[in-house]
Amino acid sequence: MDAAVQAAIDAANNNDPAAFLACFTEDGVVDDWGREFRGPELIGQWSDNEFIGKQVSLDVTEVDTRDGETMVTAQVGGNGFNGPSHFSFTVDGDKVSRMTIRA
């Protein structure tokens, strides 16, 4: 798994919002089922309300890398959404430029 993707997953599992935000490029995007949050302020607000703020846990069950994207299947736990989910990550250099979440 790409180091930037692993860092983002580790930060989420450690419930560390600062480390999670540090994984993204300055203009990074989280696309959560079609709702886009761009930049550290909006990603941070989203995460506080729906991701790390809900004590998310990601139990990775599958990783596939193709066409410059890393697709991660994970069982999501915590105090928000629970269940299987798919995350796709685009990396720019050593940071995540886009994280897309789908069922």
Side-chain angles (χ1 to χ4, degrees):
M1 183 179 325
D2 188 284
V5 174
Q6 186 67 59
I9 290 170
D10 290 346
N13 282 332
N14 291 330
N15 288 283
D16 186 339
F20 182 69
L21 289 176
C23 293
F24 286 87
T25 60
E26 277 301 309
D27 62 345
V29 175
V30 168
D31 176 342
D32 184 4
W33 291 68
R35 298 176 304 138
E36 289 194 358
F37 304 89
R38 182 178 302 275
E41 184 177 341
L42 293 179
I43 293 172
Q45 289 172 3
W46 166 81
S47 178
D48 288 348
N49 291 324
E50 300 183 43
F51 201 59
I52 292 177
K54 296 291 187 184
Q55 295 77 45
V56 71
S57 65
L58 303 173
D59 181 14
V60 175
T61 58
E62 187 177 340
V63 178
D64 184 25
T65 302
R66 63 183 117 112
D67 300 328
E69 284 192 320
T70 301
M71 280 71 69
V72 175
T73 302
Q75 183 68 30
V76 179
N79 297 319
F81 171 82
N82 283 260
S85 195
H86 297 88
F87 299 79
S88 67
F89 294 87
T90 305
V91 175
D92 182 3
D94 63 349
K95 304 247 183 201
V96 172
S97 60
R98 184 175 195 86
M99 178 177 92
T100 302
I101 305 168
R102 298 280 185 260

